[in-house]
Amino acid sequence: MTSPGPMDPGALAGLRVVDHTDMRGALCGRILGDLGAEVIRIPPVPDPDDLSHAHRNANKAGGEAVELESLTSDADLLIDNTGLDLDQVAKRHPALVVVALTDMGLTGPRSDWKLEPLPAFASSGGHFLSGFREKSPCWHPGHLAHDCASVFGAIGGLAAVMDRRRHGQGQVVEVSVQEASLSGLNPWSVLIPDYVEHFPELPHEGRRNADGNYWIFPARDGWVRTVIGTPYQWNGFVEVLGNPDALTGPEWADGVFRGRNRDVIHVVADAITSQRDRSELFEHGLAAGTTIGVIQSPSEFANHPQVVGRGFFRHDVEGSEGLPMPDAPWQLSGTPAGVRKRAPAAGDEAAQFGPRAVGNPWSAGPSKRSNGDGQLLSGVRVVEFGMAAVVPEATWMLSDLGADVIKIESVAHPDSLRFAGRGDLNKAFPFNAESRGRRSVALDLTTERGRELALDLFMAADVVAENLRGGSLDKLGLGWDDMSARRPDLVYVCSQGYGRGGPMGKMPAYGPLNASFAGAHWLWNHADVPFPCGTTLNHPDHIAGKLLAVAVLAALDHKQRTGQGQLIDMAQTEAAAYLIGDVYMGAAAAGADPQAKGNRSEIVAPHDVYRAGGDDDWVALACHDDESWQRCCGVIGVENRWPTNADRLADVEAVDAAVAAWMTGGLAADRAERLQAAGVSAMPVMGPYDHLGDEHLATRGALDVLEHPVVGKETHVGNPIRFGFTKTRTAGPSPLLGADTVEVLGEVLGIPSEEVEALAEAGICR
């Protein structure tokens, strides 16, 4: 990764942002700062002098005695998660865009609930799915749920400022942490129950089952993980094992059969993989066409040749004391992104915005409405060569903003997610979750004419986005080098698992493999478990797609202003790492990797998940200060024998026992409601049926109910961004394979329908 110099303008150069968030929302400003925006931070409470602050507040200015009102009058965008009076802010600054990051939204029965990071994660559905069945649900340490809101906030804030040029109107952009984390971590959960009548074996209750079907196997020097979705990948895995007779019968081609016999797979595979190193298993998997990933510690990730070669970590950021500071998760060829400066420190001189540059593109637009009636991206064409989740998630965001998204699908090698339909490519719930809001064109790319049609569609696009196996499109003459030579104004988006190039650039990867490689799974577990990582979440897929969408919006806006296209490269492993950047800095500072601690915290207590009175019924509770704990004592009816946080950490077992005894006396929903009524941050650990029946989410219209032409009723997680002014649309159901081929080839390329029918008869399209 080429690090930008101090004079290199990013895509958002000139955009002025005031960051008025605590640490739970600080990543939003960092994302915009990494893309070149000028960000001044006014923390509502003093920032801690720790590594999380150093990571989340890099690329920002700040200082003492900075006045919010004076800065806001010169800003384009204000980010807030403190509950400012938004009506008053809008009245004083009608052209200002305000991103309101809220725990539960500005409306609804639970809009006054407060969520610290642990209860916020419990609200997402990801907590309920993570961990070993015999233990409590296990969280992802850090700020992951709030980070999801920060990513959506960056998308919404950027879109609203872009839209302001058309009409001069500021607005409030609201993002609920609960809804953002449901979308960014576990969006398939509310859809699966609609598919049970078609596939009764689906895990519709969403309960945790450790590694699930993303099996973890021992290696001689650690652990590896697999994601096997297609028959080709299964055959490759069996080849890696040496084709043992016990796994080669025709029944093993069925994924459901494999899921029911995972114990047999482990008996056979464990004995074989444990005799080989992780790197050897990875290389053999690559050669055999199966997806084997390496589980690493954070320091192993930071020092891996793939990561070092791509330059993801910076060691020269002022104030980071030489610790490995994660750079931006994207590489942009025309408008560099990345860390330019350290986080603001106590004692810094008060920061102010300088004079506006003449012709600054981010200055407020017309004072009266002009051409703001349509959607922001109306007329923008996106051609997607997306597979699985990350790129399809990014283009979904563009579609919601009005872009025409055309998905090119291979007739011979369909999207791997379609295989979950067990013989019906149009009935696969993962594909139907990921590919809403687009049109499908099915081509046979093994034919010259099929490749010509794909090229013609690329040439008719504003944005091309792909996440195929590294080098796949280059071999077809459709890669970045070929396309940029033909179309210098094209925004070309690549997102491979391990990034473009390097020793691992050609290996396919899925979310669980990317998180394992990045070291996220190293910490996402209880301490006393038989193997690392107990989650089947597809993290970072869902939130990585939205993180990619921020960079695409910035590059697309830059193209529309300058006529210049560029390449965007985002490694999905680096997207996962970006969300836990302080972990790598801490490992380097300590000279040792941190270890998994379940739901507990080293810095506050109580901070855990407690069993309530129902079946698999749990409450997440976090008291981040002494006052919160005092209120908690009043609710649970215990004497406060631990008045300070230090007291509670020193006697954490007794503290947890006192809380746990009260929790079992009622259902999780009741326990959490009583605590929240007293101002204590608590949340039921929610599963899919909790979300589907939740009054708060229903009141807010957080779920979209659609009618799929083959499946019928489908429930999807909606877009959590609520614009006050900018128009969006609700994406329709995912397309049937090739359903729009005739329409698109006619509309975009001018090919008559009878000619398309002839191409279909010849097998070139479908």
Side-chain angles (χ1 to χ4, degrees):
M1 183 179 292
T2 302
S3 299
M7 301 303 293
D8 294 330
L12 303 186
L15 179 68
R16 294 178 157 181
V17 180
V18 174
D19 180 348
H20 188 245
T21 66
D22 57 30
M23 292 301 293
R24 299 172 305 153
L27 189 71
C28 187
R30 158 102 201 234
I31 292 168
L32 298 174
D34 282 353
L35 287 165
E38 182 182 6
V39 184
I40 295 181
R41 178 165 178 78
I42 310 177
V45 295
D47 279 328
D49 183 17
D50 62 14
L51 295 176
S52 182
H53 163 65
H55 167 59
R56 292 166 181 277
N57 290 315
N59 276 342
K60 303 176 188 177
E64 298 178 350
V66 182
E67 185 181 338
L68 177 62
E69 177 60 28
S70 65
L71 278 181
T72 302
S73 63
D74 290 330
D76 301 300
L77 179 63
L78 168 66
I79 310 168
D80 177 70
N81 70 345
T82 68
L84 288 175
D85 187 331
L86 301 180
D87 290 336
Q88 286 299 315
V89 173
K91 183 177 180 180
R92 292 195 303 270
H93 307 287
L96 182 69
V97 171
V98 181
V99 174
L101 304 177
T102 67
D103 288 340
M104 301 288 285
L106 294 174
T107 61
R110 292 200 292 269
S111 59
D112 60 341
W113 283 31
K114 178 177 175 58
L115 299 180
E116 296 292 351
L118 177 68
F121 191 72
S123 78
S124 72
H127 208 161
F128 191 72
L129 184 61
S130 299
F132 286 73
R133 187 68 175 84
E134 63 276 12
K135 293 184 175 292
S136 63
C138 189
W139 85 314
H140 179 293
H143 297 78
L144 187 54
H146 287 91
D147 287 345
C148 290
S150 288
V151 174
F152 279 106
I155 295 171
L158 179 54
V161 178
M162 290 167 62
D163 198 28
R164 187 181 65 177
R165 290 201 200 101
R166 307 191 302 167
H167 45 65
Q169 178 74 46
Q171 60 182 297
V172 174
V173 179
E174 177 205 339
V175 179
S176 153
V177 171
Q178 181 186 30
E179 293 165 27
S181 58
L182 178 57
S183 178
L185 297 176
N186 198 21
W188 298 357
S189 60
V190 299
L191 176 64
I192 292 176
D194 290 329
Y195 278 70
V196 171
E197 65 176 279
H198 305 283
F199 306 109
E201 70 280 356
L202 286 176
H204 58 95
E205 293 183 336
R207 297 178 188 270
R208 60 203 178 280
N209 59 354
D211 59 343
N213 288 329
Y214 301 153
W215 307 309
I216 293 175
F217 299 104
R220 188 159 45 201
D221 61 344
W223 301 85
V224 295
R225 184 162 208 171
T226 62
V227 175
I228 297 172
T230 69
Y232 180 73
Q233 291 166 346
W234 169 251
N235 291 337
F237 177 67
V238 174
E239 179 184 328
V240 169
L241 298 180
N243 296 305
D245 291 340
L247 303 180
T248 54
E251 65 276 9
W252 290 102
D254 180 26
V256 174
F257 179 85
R258 294 195 299 268
R260 291 171 177 166
N261 291 277
R262 54 177 291 182
D263 55 338
V264 177
I265 295 172
H266 271 288
V267 167
V268 175
D270 286 4
I272 298 169
T273 61
S274 61
Q275 303 305 307
R276 302 167 70 183
D277 289 341
R278 291 174 295 174
S279 60
E280 181 186 357
L281 290 165
F282 178 93
E283 292 295 336
H284 197 167
L286 176 61
T290 194
T291 43
I292 295 177
V294 175
I295 298 180
Q296 298 191 119
S297 71
S299 60
E300 285 180 317
F301 171 77
N303 294 301
H304 194 281
Q306 178 74 13
V307 179
V308 173
R310 286 178 53 82
F312 176 64
F313 287 99
R314 296 277 303 279
H315 296 267
D316 58 349
V317 179
E318 179 190 357
S320 68
E321 300 178 345
L323 298 177
M325 170 75 75
D327 214 330
W330 338 266
Q331 299 181 25
L332 281 73
S333 63
T335 55
V339 180
R340 289 170 167 80
K341 57 188 175 184
R342 64 167 173 83
D348 282 357
E349 184 178 349
Q352 297 290 334
F353 293 117
R356 281 276 189 184
V358 176
N360 188 304
W362 300 104
S363 297
S367 59
K368 296 181 180 180
R369 286 184 60 120
S370 55
N371 60 338
D373 291 333
Q375 291 182 289
L376 175 65
L377 299 185
S378 294
V380 172
R381 180 173 294 132
V382 179
V383 173
E384 173 210 305
F385 236 121
M387 186 75 73
V390 174
V391 158
E393 294 257 8
T395 57
W396 169 61
M397 297 305 306
L398 304 181
S399 175
D400 259 27
L401 290 168
D404 176 23
V405 179
I406 298 169
K407 183 179 183 73
I408 297 180
E409 300 199 65
S410 169
V411 174
H413 303 289
D415 190 317
S416 59
L417 295 185
R418 283 195 181 273
F419 286 96
R422 300 191 67 198
D424 188 337
L425 297 178
N426 295 314
K427 233 176 183 179
F429 79 85
F431 180 89
N432 292 343
E434 295 301 318
S435 292
R436 295 171 53 202
R438 66 210 67 199
R439 299 189 282 177
S440 171
V441 174
L443 302 174
D444 185 351
L445 299 175
T446 65
T447 66
E448 182 177 356
R449 182 58 176 147
R451 293 190 295 273
E452 289 174 350
L453 292 170
L455 174 61
D456 289 344
L457 288 173
F458 276 28
M459 291 299 97
D462 298 287
V463 178
V464 168
E466 65 94 5
N467 63 333
L468 303 183
R469 177 173 175 162
S472 297
L473 290 186
D474 297 283
K475 294 177 182 177
L476 299 176
L478 299 171
W480 160 247
D481 291 338
D482 291 313
M483 294 302 99
S484 61
R486 292 171 178 262
R487 281 277 310 280
D489 65 334
L490 185 65
V491 174
Y492 196 104
V493 184
C494 298
S495 181
Q496 278 64 48
Y498 303 102
R500 287 167 57 88
M504 302 174 74
K506 294 187 182 297
M507 181 60 157
Y510 301 94
L513 307 184
N514 296 325
S516 291
F517 184 77
H521 285 166
W522 183 263
L523 300 175
W524 195 345
N525 216 336
H526 290 282
D528 53 341
V529 290
F531 53 78
C533 184
T535 183
T536 55
L537 278 181
N538 293 296
H539 181 69
D541 281 355
H542 306 297
I543 195 57
K546 282 85 173 188
L547 195 56
L548 182 59
V550 184
V552 177
L553 269 183
L556 184 58
D557 182 76
H558 181 262
K559 163 196 163 74
Q560 292 173 332
R561 288 188 277 112
T562 67
Q564 299 172 1
Q566 59 183 307
L567 172 69
I568 301 173
D569 168 20
M570 186 188 80
Q572 294 154 27
T573 53
E574 293 168 12
Y578 185 67
L579 301 175
I580 55 170
D582 53 300
V583 170
Y584 308 100
M585 300 172 74
D593 283 301
Q595 301 300 310
K597 296 179 177 63
N599 297 298
R600 280 187 172 170
S601 165
E602 291 183 331
I603 58 175
V604 296
H607 186 283
D608 213 331
V609 170
Y610 304 90
R611 186 183 293 275
D615 174 41
D616 205 20
D617 197 28
W618 304 85
V619 179
L621 168 70
C623 292
H624 278 242
D625 54 48
D626 296 339
E627 182 182 355
S628 174
W629 168 246
Q630 180 64 49
R631 292 194 296 267
C632 181
C633 288
V635 175
I636 68 176
V638 300
E639 179 186 354
N640 186 3
R641 296 187 287 115
W642 311 276
T644 71
N645 191 56
D647 295 331
R648 296 189 294 277
L649 285 170
D651 199 12
V652 67
E653 297 292 346
V655 171
D656 278 346
V659 174
W662 179 79
M663 288 289 189
T664 57
L667 297 179
D670 170 74
R671 305 284 94 169
E673 186 171 348
R674 292 190 185 197
L675 289 163
Q676 285 282 356
V680 180
S681 184
M683 191 72 197
V685 180
M686 300 182 74
Y689 287 99
D690 297 313
H691 289 128
L692 288 167
D694 186 64
E695 179 188 1
H696 180 76
L697 293 176
T699 300
R700 291 180 50 77
L703 305 180
D704 296 334
V705 179
L706 305 175
E707 188 72 19
H708 187 274
V710 172
V711 178
K713 172 182 167 291
E714 286 185 333
T715 305
H716 294 270
V717 177
N719 187 342
I721 304 173
R722 310 293 178 87
F723 292 96
F725 192 79
T726 296
K727 290 187 176 181
T728 61
R729 62 187 179 194
T730 299
S734 64
L736 306 184
L737 180 64
D740 308 292
T741 302
V742 174
E743 177 185 78
V744 170
L745 295 186
E747 174 190 315
V748 178
L749 303 183
I751 301 176
S753 58
E754 57 270 20
E755 184 177 337
V756 178
E757 292 173 5
L759 291 170
E761 290 179 5
I764 293 170
C765 66
R766 174 173 171 177

